[in-house]
Amino acid sequence: QHYAHLLPNSWNNMEATLKKFPKLWSRGRSKSPRPKDGSLQFRWRFRKSPKVFVIEPGTTNDYLQALIIERETQRCYEIEFEDGKTTTESYSVAAIIGIIDLFGHGALILATNYEVTDVLEGHEIYKVTEVELEFMESFSDIPKDLQSYVKDIKKILSAGFYFSYTYDLTNSLQRNKERYLVDTSDPFANVDDRFYWNMKMCEDLKKQSVDSHWFIPIVQGYYGVQLVTVEDKILKICLISRRSRHRIGTRFNVRGLNDHGHTANFTETEQILIRDSSIYA
């Protein structure tokens, strides 16, 4: 059902066709399935008061803590979560991207909407489609001198950014496989910081020893999937491009490489081919 929209329209019963190939079908099943109606489920809920931001467990999260961010000091800490104790309005959050300083105004960036791009080895891959900025200061309206920047940030972060709750997109499948042989407890224990686009945004949270459960790496680039048939065999082809966060910009402003060896707009591209129980990358 995850791939039905990718197959040719002439196929009458796509799910039944896929089930003829159980090993490939099982590779498309999520480790944390969504409801049968296909609706999206969100990991967090966001609430705010004049003094604090509160991020609490959402519909797909059994975590028993809530994260508190004091708006004046930006101090972060966890408290025990008690459902139903708060009556303030809230909205759903898919991922915490981090905290930025926008001309002296601190702002928390949240991914508020997403779409499922693929299921790779049982791990759901998501694309960010909408973000929200919550300023630490209590503005009745965002100042005019910040409005264009807020609009641009929302536009940029809502196109071409991907994440997963259980899979490290900053590393290739091969590197992830090698690491999983040693340690499977933390999927983000060895992220490649070249492709960890929100790394700087999460620094303040890390400095305050906030559990990594609260934030995940976001990568910028492309993730495409296509199913093809070859001699009655269904092949799944994935193309993943991850762009380095170092030395980025338009070609007239950023060229060549710097003293650290980072080339302008470096992009690592990975191709993955899945056939029955075999996977090639």
Side-chain angles (χ1 to χ4, degrees):
Q1 66 185 20
H2 293 290
Y3 306 117
H5 66 289
L6 297 171
L7 295 169
N9 292 330
S10 58
W11 291 31
N12 295 322
N13 193 334
M14 299 175 184
E15 184 170 313
T17 303
L18 279 173
K19 285 184 176 178
K20 291 180 181 179
F21 308 92
K23 292 181 180 179
L24 181 61
W25 177 253
S26 65
R27 287 178 178 270
R29 294 198 174 187
S30 168
K31 292 185 176 180
S32 53
R34 287 169 287 121
K36 293 181 179 179
D37 62 5
S39 61
L40 297 177
Q41 298 289 287
F42 291 86
R43 173 164 278 203
W44 312 110
R45 290 199 67 79
F46 174 83
R47 301 178 189 273
K48 64 180 176 180
S49 73
K51 292 186 177 182
V52 298
F53 291 153
V54 181
I55 302 169
E56 59 190 40
T59 53
T60 61
N61 199 334
D62 57 1
Y63 201 59
L64 300 178
Q65 301 289 317
L67 179 66
I68 305 297
I69 302 175
E70 295 181 354
R71 300 179 68 169
E72 183 177 353
T73 63
Q74 295 187 28
R75 188 170 74 94
C76 306
Y77 54 91
E78 289 181 308
I79 63 170
E80 185 176 348
F81 171 63
E82 296 184 43
D83 195 12
K85 292 290 185 180
T86 308
T87 58
T88 57
E89 292 184 5
S90 66
Y91 59 81
S92 299
V93 172
I96 301 169
I97 296 179
I99 298 174
I100 64 168
D101 185 286
L102 194 59
F103 300 104
H105 304 280
L108 177 68
I109 304 181
L110 305 167
T112 55
N113 209 349
Y114 68 99
E115 60 186 33
V116 180
T117 300
D118 185 30
V119 180
L120 179 63
E121 293 277 273
H123 303 280
E124 285 196 349
I125 311 298
Y126 308 111
K127 180 180 180 180
V128 177
T129 59
E130 188 175 347
V131 301
E132 190 63 52
L133 274 72
E134 293 286 350
F135 283 93
M136 300 296 175
E137 297 175 64
S138 297
F139 295 130
S140 55
D141 293 301
I142 298 175
K144 289 184 178 180
D145 60 333
L146 296 180
Q147 288 178 4
S148 62
Y149 295 103
V150 171
K151 182 180 179 181
D152 288 343
I153 290 172
K154 287 184 177 182
K155 181 179 179 181
I156 291 170
L157 292 178
S158 299
F161 284 83
Y162 300 85
F163 70 96
S164 173
Y165 296 128
T166 57
Y167 183 79
D168 180 9
L169 283 171
T170 70
N171 279 296
S172 66
L173 179 64
Q174 181 178 352
R175 292 196 297 267
N176 280 329
K177 287 282 189 180
E178 292 171 350
R179 191 190 71 237
Y180 289 152
L181 294 175
V182 180
D183 181 18
T184 59
S185 59
D186 182 2
F188 307 115
N190 296 286
V191 295
D192 188 332
D193 65 15
R194 293 177 299 169
F195 308 113
Y196 188 170
W197 267 65
N198 57 327
M199 181 177 177
K200 291 292 185 180
M201 302 181 198
C202 294
E203 277 188 348
D204 191 44
L205 298 172
K206 293 178 179 178
K207 287 178 181 177
Q208 299 190 58
S209 301
V210 173
D211 194 287
S212 58
H213 175 83
W214 292 101
F215 50 89
I216 53 178
I218 305 290
V219 300
Q220 195 270 333
Y222 174 79
Y223 194 119
V225 182
Q226 183 66 59
L227 296 185
V228 298
T229 55
V230 178
E231 298 180 351
D232 294 327
K233 292 285 187 179
I234 295 182
L235 305 181
K236 176 183 173 183
I237 302 173
C238 303
L239 182 67
I240 306 172
S241 290
R242 48 183 73 87
R243 186 185 181 197
S244 173
R245 65 184 178 87
H246 298 291
R247 201 162 172 71
I248 57 173
T250 57
R251 68 190 183 98
F252 288 110
N253 295 314
V254 181
R255 298 188 183 190
L257 72 163
N258 61 16
D259 293 338
H260 300 286
H262 298 298
T263 59
N265 296 299
F266 172 74
T267 302
E268 178 184 88
T269 298
E270 176 184 14
Q271 298 178 73
I272 300 173
L273 174 66
I274 299 175
R275 177 181 181 274
D276 292 336
S277 60
S278 301
I279 183 166
Y280 309 91

